Every structure is written in structure tokens, then in C-alpha cells.
């Protein structure tokens, strides 16, 4: 009798393990989406003419003598980098011969486009192309001036080249739109040189 009972109990246990109620997935037959991986849209490769590590770039070196003349720049000189742009960041200050605007170029080493969208707000950014690079433009307030225009060039993963045009500086005819024209033209000139680095 014991010999008959063991196979019967074993068969009952096996049947119980393999049966399932309708609508309840078993461990061996789960339905649902495949697991996500690190290749999301946020980490997709960026289409750039050339990815350039900005840690090794002097922003003043991106302004050629031809660009300086064409843009009407009266001075181009290194400036004091801002600590909030990351260790090793560099700055270049530019002034224009007409004295209506000034500009500066910063290397941002502590975060790329994702950080920019979080800190500035995606709704405030306008997508533009600068010398073949994806870039973002935003207008900001600048105390003592008519305002400023910032162009962020996506030069490398986790890094941005920031070109800022500042309007006013005691000149009442300067406008934020004028600052944007200057900033975009300067960004285009330096972006072209950046792609050759």
C-alpha cells in the first residue's frame, strides 16, 4: 500500500506545482515588458562634428584673428573661471569695439545637457545648431544691463561650451535680441574652430 501511495502523492504534488489559475502568471511564464537597459534615449550618441574634451581647451584659443575682426571684437583675454562650472573650468572675456555688448566663453566641466535641462528648465531652452553641434539658447536677466543671452554648445558628453552675450553695459540701445545675435555669431565662430581640435 505504501508503494502505491508514494507515486500518487508525488503525482499530486507535481500537478499542484504546474497548475495555474487564469490570469495569474507563474514564475516560469511571466508576461510584461523586457527589462530596461542603459541604452535609453537619454544616453543615445550625440551627433557632433567632433567630441572635444573641454578640459584641455583654452576658450580664448578658439577665437581666430579673422573671427576677431569679423565679429568686431576689441579685446579677447582670459578671465577668472566660475567655480560652479567645475574644477578646471576656463573662461575667456571679449569686448566689442562698439561698446554696446560684452561676451564671455566658459568651459562647463561638471555636467552636460541633462544637467542644463534640470537647472535651467527645458521650457526655457531653445534648440539651435551651432557649427554642426547641437546647442541650446536661453535669455536671462543680468543686473545692471538690458539682459543676456546664453548659448550652450554640446561639445562633449557631460561638458558644455557656454557663450554669453551681455547687452547694455551703459548703452541704452543694446537689446537682449542684439546680445543673442552676438552670442550666436561668436558661438558659430568658436564652434567651427572647436571641431578642428
Amino acid at each position: 500500500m505504501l508503494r502505491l501511495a508514494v507515486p500518487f502523492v508525488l503525482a499530486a504534488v507535481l500537478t499542484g506545482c504546474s497548475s495555474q489559475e487564469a490570469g495569474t502568471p507563474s514564475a516560469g511564464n511571466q508576461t510584461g515588458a523586457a527589462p530596461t537597459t542603459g541604452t535609453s534615449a537619454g544616453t543615445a550618441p550625440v551627433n557632433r562634428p567632433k567630441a572635444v574634451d573641454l578640459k584641455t581647451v583654452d576658450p580664448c584659443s578658439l577665437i581666430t584673428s579673422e573671427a576677431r575682426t569679423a565679429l568686431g571684437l576689441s579685446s579677447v583675454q582670459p578671465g577668472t573661471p566660475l567655480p560652479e562650472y567645475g574644477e578646471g573650468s576656463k573662461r575667456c572675456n571679449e569686448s566689442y569695439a562698439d561698446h554696446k555688448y560684452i561676451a564671455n566663453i566658459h568651459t562647463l566641466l561638471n555636467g552636460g545637457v541633462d544637467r542644463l535641462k534640470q537647472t535651467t528648465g527645458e521650457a526655457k531652452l531653445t534648440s539651435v545648431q551651432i557649427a554642426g553641434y547641437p546647442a541650446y539658447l536661453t535669455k536671462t536677466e543680468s543686473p545692471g544691463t538690458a539682459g543676456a543671452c546664453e548659448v550652450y554648445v554640446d561639445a562633449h558628453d557631460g561638458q558644455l561650451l557656454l557663450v554669453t552675450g551681455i547687452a547694455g553695459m551703459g548703452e541704452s540701445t543694446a537689446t537682449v535680441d542684439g546680445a543673442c545675435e552676438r552670442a550666436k555669431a561668436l558661438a558659430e565662430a568658436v564652434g567651427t574652430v572647436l571641431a578642428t581640435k
Side-chain angles (χ1 to χ4, degrees):
M1 180 77 175
L2 185 59
R3 276 188 267 175
L4 290 173
V6 172
F8 181 77
V9 172
L10 186 58
V13 170
L14 290 176
T15 303
C17 287
S18 64
S19 68
Q20 53 182 320
E21 295 177 24
T24 306
S26 69
N29 185 22
Q30 289 193 4
T31 58
T36 58
T37 64
T39 56
S40 67
T43 58
V46 177
N47 187 13
R48 305 177 180 101
K50 181 179 182 184
V52 180
D53 185 353
L54 297 178
K55 293 176 186 172
T56 63
V57 173
D58 170 10
C60 288
S61 72
L62 300 175
I63 302 173
T64 65
S65 57
E66 294 82 12
R68 185 174 171 159
T69 301
L71 296 170
L73 297 174
S74 59
S75 71
V76 174
Q77 57 190 354
T80 304
L82 299 177
E84 60 263 31
Y85 292 156
E87 187 177 340
S89 173
K90 297 178 185 71
R91 175 180 183 164
C92 184
N93 296 328
E94 300 81 34
S95 58
Y96 291 87
D98 65 6
H99 303 292
K100 291 183 180 182
Y101 302 90
I102 61 171
N104 34 67
I105 305 169
H106 299 269
T107 55
L108 278 64
L109 306 178
N110 60 351
V113 172
D114 289 340
R115 182 169 189 242
L116 173 66
K117 288 178 179 178
Q118 289 173 357
T119 58
T120 300
E122 200 163 349
K124 294 181 181 179
L125 298 170
T126 302
S127 295
V128 294
Q129 278 287 115
I130 297 293
Y133 285 94
Y136 300 87
L137 182 145
T138 187
K139 296 176 183 178
T140 62
E141 292 183 10
S142 183
T145 73
C149 187
E150 299 173 328
V151 179
Y152 294 86
V153 180
D154 188 356
H156 193 277
D157 292 347
Q159 301 176 358
L160 298 166
L161 186 70
L162 168 59
V163 179
T164 304
I166 303 167
M169 306 311 293
E171 175 55 58
S172 61
T173 60
T175 64
V176 175
D177 289 338
C180 283
E181 288 175 22
R182 304 279 176 117
K184 287 194 288 187
L186 180 57
E188 192 73 35
V190 300
T192 300
V193 176
L194 184 70
T196 67
K197 292 287 185 185

